[in-house]
Amino acid sequence: MALSTVLETPGAGFNFDNAARNAALEGLFEGGQTPKPLKTGTTIAGVVFKDGVVLGADTRATSSEVVADKMCAKIHYISPNIYCCGAGTAADTEKTTDLLSSNLTIFSLNSGRNPRVVMAVNILQDMLYRYHGQIGANLILGGVDCTGNHLYTVGPYGDVDKVPYLAMGSGDLAALGILEDGFKHDLELEKAKELVRAAIHAGIMSDLGSGNNIDICVITRQGVDYIRPYQESVYKDDRKMKYKYRPGTTAVLTEKVVPLKLEVVQETVQKMETA
Amino acid sequence: MEKHYSDSQVKGVSTGTTILAAIFDGGVVIGSDSRASIGGEYVSSKTINKVIQVHDKIFCCIAGSLADAQAVTKAAKSHLSFHSVQMESPPLVIAAASVLKELCYKNKEELQAGFITAGWDRKKGPQVYVVSLGGMLISQPVTIGGSGSTFIYGYVDAKYKPKMTKEECLQFATNALALAMGRDNVSGGVVHLVVIMKKGVEHVVVPGDKLPRFHDE
């Protein structure tokens, strides 16, 4: 069973090889520290409501103090019934969720069913644990399957917790305040969307690493509604993005034309078969 | 907020914790608090489950790094399930404890997790085993573990009696955990208790506001 579902078969037991290799690499650099991978600085949140799960995220990706991407997609597709928000190192969350999605697609094709959320969580946990925290991925997994509506958090060290509401990323404390105050079990769809939107908004307002627009993803038994963007930033950019100048903007002072004499040296004809 | 593991030796989420197990007349009670923290300053979960079922009548309490503990108990669960299929009978509690011990001992450099295993089997009845950080395995009638345990050694030594009734033992466990949670900043939340007897397993959850209160609270 394990062979048909995963592209890579993990070795038996615990394998700390990569952690040991990274520790050895750190020793090679003077000063002791390997270069730190860049983080996104993010606010992501998730809430379980009556009919499913709502996930939300901001859309800012930062590279130190510069906003590298204003419309970055932080809610990743895992399977038709499971989506995953990622905080931490952007490359790590992208690759990890991609790998998970591929594995689950193979599983779906082989078994003919949609994967269960708990399966996705287990695969992620095994993989992240094997890398002993070196993969900087803080993930919120939400989905709906035959056993119900689920929301899980997976940390970079491979710890897992099943929760009814959740926020992660650098803006998580602000978002968590809103969630703690407003969460109730079995919320209606609109209330749940509004709660998540307010939570992300709080993160955007209070955290420098989060900002721009808010994406919302609603997952129910009926399907997925990925609203991108759900709410646009009030600070809209007025840049034109087109910098073509009309001919004549720059004055021409002198003009000199030099004709290039070319002579035909050789001419060959090759018929093309298009039948 | 900058999350950094300044004081705690454990990287990532840690179950700075109070766990306990005690044998009574006819069974065993195993219990824990429900707080998970990062760096000793941020409570990352108020409702984490630290009493994990590794087989029908064998439960484990975890302490230390949450990721390590979850990985070890997952491996142990799968190992025990296979073992019981091979043996065509439920595993002995010592078998479960040994599986955990092997994993902890063989990987002692990288792992930071300790366990209390409690259960009931046909051969020896109710038992409690402790698997510590380095992989030591010992059997005791009553045992406490985790950072909060330091505050209740006196209470446990004074109040534990062998052959208590189930109700007395539940009260003893609840009191001990409540006292520890009251003094240890990284223990808190609710009290999860599991009672394992020959006839079956019973879960008891005591929410924070229903915990026993002592004179200064």
Side-chain angles (χ1 to χ4, degrees), chain B:
Chain B
M1 176 211 162
E2 270 288 308
K3 286 193 199 139
H4 49 275
Y5 39 92
S6 46
D7 297 324
S8 166
Q9 298 284 45
V10 176
K11 287 193 190 178
V13 180
S14 131
T15 57
T17 195
T18 312
I19 51 179
L20 163 163
I23 297 180
F24 64 89
D25 187 16
V28 58
V29 167
I30 181 167
S32 77
D33 69 306
S34 68
R35 179 174 290 184
S37 53
I38 299 186
E41 22 176 76
Y42 174 63
V43 176
S44 62
S45 175
K46 299 175 272 194
T47 54
I48 200 100
N49 178 29
K50 298 185 205 182
V51 186
I52 300 182
Q53 182 165 28
V54 289
H55 202 78
D56 296 350
K57 291 215 181 77
I58 308 177
F59 284 73
C60 247
C61 264
I62 59 180
S65 154
L66 185 59
D68 287 345
Q70 286 182 337
V72 172
T73 47
K74 246 174 129 175
K77 223 169 156 171
S78 136
H79 198 119
L80 278 173
S81 157
F82 180 64
H83 173 71
S84 82
V85 165
Q86 274 195 320
M87 302 288 277
E88 292 191 4
S89 86
L92 298 178
V93 187
I94 181 123
S98 296
V99 167
L100 291 169
K101 179 264 291 174
E102 276 302 300
L103 288 165
C104 287
Y105 183 73
K106 290 265 159 65
N107 296 294
K108 65 161 78 177
E109 307 302 323
E110 288 92 5
L111 289 176
Q112 268 189 310
F115 304 88
I116 294 182
T117 311
W120 187 96
D121 64 45
R122 283 187 46 162
K123 190 169 170 192
K124 287 173 131 187
Q127 297 145 76
V128 170
Y129 293 91
V130 181
V131 177
S132 67
L133 229 55
M136 170 189 80
L137 170 64
I138 56 172
S139 168
Q140 292 186 308
V142 62
T143 189
I144 47 179
S147 55
S149 65
T150 52
F151 304 103
I152 50 172
Y153 274 107
Y155 180 80
V156 168
D157 287 345
K159 288 293 185 178
Y160 177 75
K161 300 186 303 291
K163 297 215 173 309
M164 284 190 278
T165 66
K166 179 178 118 180
E167 287 67 33
E168 280 175 343
C169 195
L170 275 170
Q171 189 61 51
F172 160 77
T174 314
N175 285 350
L177 287 168
L179 283 166
M181 282 154 67
R183 285 291 181 181
D184 184 23
N185 69 323
V186 282
S187 298
V190 307
V191 165
H192 286 292
L193 292 166
V194 173
V195 184
I196 311 164
M197 296 176 289
K198 176 176 178 180
K199 66 179 183 218
V201 167
E202 207 182 297
H203 291 261
V204 178
V205 175
V206 185
D209 54 350
K210 302 273 194 311
L211 285 175
R213 311 186 79 190
F214 300 92
H215 78 96
D216 61 343
E217 294 176 78

Side-chain angles (χ1 to χ4, degrees), chain A residues 35-96:
Chain A
K36 285 261 172 291
L38 292 172
K39 299 171 158 247
T40 43
T42 271
T43 306
I44 48 178
V47 156
V48 176
F49 72 103
K50 196 171 85 175
D51 305 315
V53 176
V54 178
L55 298 172
D58 72 304
T59 60
R60 173 178 290 183
T62 49
S63 175
S64 301
E65 319 81 47
V66 179
V67 175
D69 189 351
K70 289 175 287 205
M71 198 51 180
C72 148
K74 300 187 190 179
I75 306 184
H76 308 284
Y77 167 86
I78 302 290
S79 77
N81 59 326
I82 306 172
Y83 276 71
C84 178
C85 298
T89 310
D92 287 346
T93 57
E94 281 281 344
K95 218 50 199 176
T96 308

Side-chain angles (χ1 to χ4, degrees), chain A residues 100 117-128 154 160, chain B residues 74:
Chain A
L100 177 64
V117 185
V118 72
M119 178 177 187
V121 168
N122 277 317
I123 295 177
L124 269 178
Q125 179 175 42
D126 286 342
M127 184 186 144
L128 289 173
V154 185
V160 163
Chain B
K74 246 174 129 175

